[in-house]
Amino acid sequence: MIRKIIHIDMDAFFASIEQRDFPHLRGKPVAVGGSRERGVVAAASYEARKFGVRSAMPSSLAYRKCPQIIFTKSRFHVYKAVSEQIRKIFYEYTDLVEPLSLDEAYLDVTENKKGIASAIQIAEEIRKKISDTLNLTASAGVSYNKFLAKTASDINKPNGLAVILPDEAIDFLEKLQIDRFYGIGNVTADKMKKLGIFKGSDLKKWPLEHLIDTFGKSGKFYYHIVRGIDNRQVKPSRERKSIGAERTFSKDIADVGTMKQHLSKIAEILWKRITNANKYGKTLTVKVKLHNFESHTKSKTFEKRIINYNFLLQESYHLLDDLEPQKFNVRLLGISVSNFSSNDDEPENTQEQLKLF
């Protein structure tokens, strides 16, 4: 049986809620979180994105890119409540809902509660209900697996829907630019371009063994997705034990200063994931993998949850120093947060911690 998978992605979720609730923000460039002088952008409206403002960007840089930007305080208790309302709409159609964060989720509607044969119809109904009941817009992608549905949802953003049918998938993927493939980040995309891989048809020419030799275990994933193969199941929501981010380098790193530069970028990605999930933990862990694939980790547990980005970054630096990285050639760096508290609606940036800006 061909599966019917929908990926729903809310459009500029946090910023759109602020613009919905506060009319004076509508049509203006808005950044949620941070301030003009310090902090990090948690979300940016589409008006701000036109100037190059993105989530996880330092607020000072966002202001330089867009001097007229309006910074608003995060209201995670509101975003979480709205997310729960959206999920109730999802559950009207299927129990196979896999949330990725507060603002996006996969739905398997192959067999659904309303007996609707068309996944496209279900996606349109869901988008309309979100618009009618919550006055927010969502984009949707529909296809026969998770990878293609996720890729499709980004095609017609904001407030759009895209469908990739089974007999269209191969042609679509061969023409797709490599940096539009979900799961291929900027660093990997740049590496691929240097190797002559600019779109799917170029990637498809690479044998499996060459992809694995060049990109490690991810090579197998790339081999399959460019052929439209993704057998991952939509897994209903499970409690997350940790949230992390890591980066593998094309060349081993021996300089500690360079390691910390990369660590700051990893921390930005992690902070975005933390704020999107609205999950704040007390335990911070830094991981290094050496040139010989040997892994070392260092953790620290704090009395209170880590709710300040600058604190997370500074403590990550300290943990990296404790690992004495100057003794090694490092091929991977990672940061994770665990030991979550049940109180997940405390606003960010209330913690008086170390300040970097």
Side-chain angles (χ1 to χ4, degrees), residues 230 251 257 263 280:
D230 179 9
K251 294 183 179 180
L263 203 67
Y280 299 87

Side-chain angles (χ1 to χ4, degrees), residues 203-214:
L203 178 61
K204 198 173 180 181
K205 295 175 184 177
W206 280 55
L208 174 59
E209 59 272 18
H210 289 176
L211 286 172
I212 294 175
D213 287 343
T214 306

Side-chain angles (χ1 to χ4, degrees), residues 81-353:
V82 175
S83 179
E84 290 173 354
Q85 291 176 293
I86 293 168
R87 288 182 191 175
K88 287 181 180 178
I89 295 174
F90 296 162
Y91 288 125
E92 292 178 18
Y93 295 87
T94 179
D95 289 327
L96 294 179
V97 176
E98 181 182 341
L100 301 180
S101 62
L102 291 179
D103 60 345
E104 61 176 319
Y106 291 112
L107 291 74
D108 187 330
V109 296
T110 309
E111 296 179 359
N112 58 85
K113 295 178 180 179
K114 299 194 175 186
I116 299 173
S118 170
I120 301 172
Q121 179 183 336
I122 293 174
E124 287 286 28
E125 285 188 12
I126 289 173
R127 293 178 62 246
K128 186 175 188 304
K129 285 187 178 182
I130 291 173
S131 177
D132 291 347
T133 61
L134 300 173
N135 196 23
L136 295 169
T137 64
S139 296
V142 180
S143 196
Y144 62 89
N145 64 40
K146 292 168 73 172
F147 167 74
L148 287 168
K150 172 73 173 177
T151 302
S153 68
D154 194 47
I155 293 175
N156 293 324
K157 284 183 84 57
N159 196 24
L161 181 146
V163 181
I164 302 175
L165 298 173
D167 58 357
E168 300 171 341
I170 299 303
D171 183 61
F172 170 82
L173 290 168
E174 288 180 348
K175 295 177 181 177
L176 188 66
Q177 296 298 310
I178 203 64
D179 46 14
R180 296 294 300 275
F181 276 73
Y182 175 66
I184 296 179
N186 292 333
V187 173
T188 302
D190 289 342
K191 180 178 179 179
M192 286 185 172
K193 289 175 183 177
K194 291 177 182 178
L195 295 170
I197 303 173
F198 297 96
K199 54 185 180 179
S201 57
D202 300 322
L203 178 61
K204 198 173 180 181
K205 295 175 184 177
W206 280 55
L208 174 59
E209 59 272 18
H210 289 176
L211 286 172
I212 294 175
D213 287 343
T214 306
F215 300 102
K217 63 181 180 180
S218 297
K220 186 176 181 180
F221 174 71
Y222 303 150
Y223 180 86
H224 285 128
I225 60 173
V226 77
R227 291 166 171 77
I229 301 170
D230 179 9
N231 296 321
R232 293 173 300 159
Q233 300 297 310
V234 173
K235 299 179 180 179
S237 178
R238 294 181 295 179
E239 188 67 22
R240 300 184 72 165
K241 301 299 183 182
S242 66
I243 299 176
E246 60 184 34
R247 175 172 293 180
T248 301
F249 311 112
S250 56
K251 294 183 179 180
D252 297 338
I253 299 174
D255 178 68
V256 177
T258 303
M259 292 180 202
K260 289 186 176 180
Q261 291 177 7
H262 286 290
L263 203 67
S264 69
K265 296 177 182 178
I266 296 168
E268 289 178 4
I269 296 170
L270 173 59
W271 189 250
K272 179 182 177 182
R273 293 174 180 175
I274 289 171
T275 55
N276 280 347
N278 196 25
K279 302 283 286 185
Y280 299 87
K282 296 180 181 179
T283 299
L284 179 67
T285 301
V286 169
K287 170 185 175 182
V288 298
K289 184 177 289 186
L290 310 183
H291 65 286
N292 60 0
F293 293 90
E294 182 180 321
S295 293
H296 298 267
T297 61
K298 193 74 174 180
S299 299
K300 185 174 181 179
T301 298
F302 302 93
E303 183 179 348
K304 295 183 179 180
R305 294 181 303 146
I306 302 168
I307 56 173
N308 181 285
Y309 166 78
N310 296 330
F311 178 76
L312 179 143
L313 179 60
Q314 191 71 13
E315 291 297 328
S316 295
Y317 287 159
H318 292 162
L319 290 174
L320 179 64
D321 289 337
D322 290 343
L323 286 165
E324 299 183 305
Q326 66 273 12
K327 296 181 179 180
F328 309 111
N329 291 325
V330 173
R331 73 182 310 272
L332 176 147
L333 285 171
I335 314 173
S336 63
V337 171
S338 58
N339 191 13
F340 298 123
S341 166
S342 59
N343 179 19
D344 290 325
D345 55 6
E346 183 178 342
E348 68 162 0
N349 294 331
T350 60
Q351 190 169 324
E352 289 299 319
Q353 302 286 7

Side-chain angles (χ1 to χ4, degrees), residues 31-43 57-60 62 69-74 76 271 275 309-310 348-349 357:
V32 177
S35 65
R36 174 173 168 175
E37 296 83 12
R38 56 183 295 112
V40 176
V41 174
M57 176 180 288
S59 300
S60 56
I69 198 166
I70 301 171
F71 291 97
T72 66
K73 187 177 180 180
S74 302
F76 283 106
W271 189 250
T275 55
Y309 166 78
N310 296 330
E348 68 162 0
N349 294 331
F357 296 97

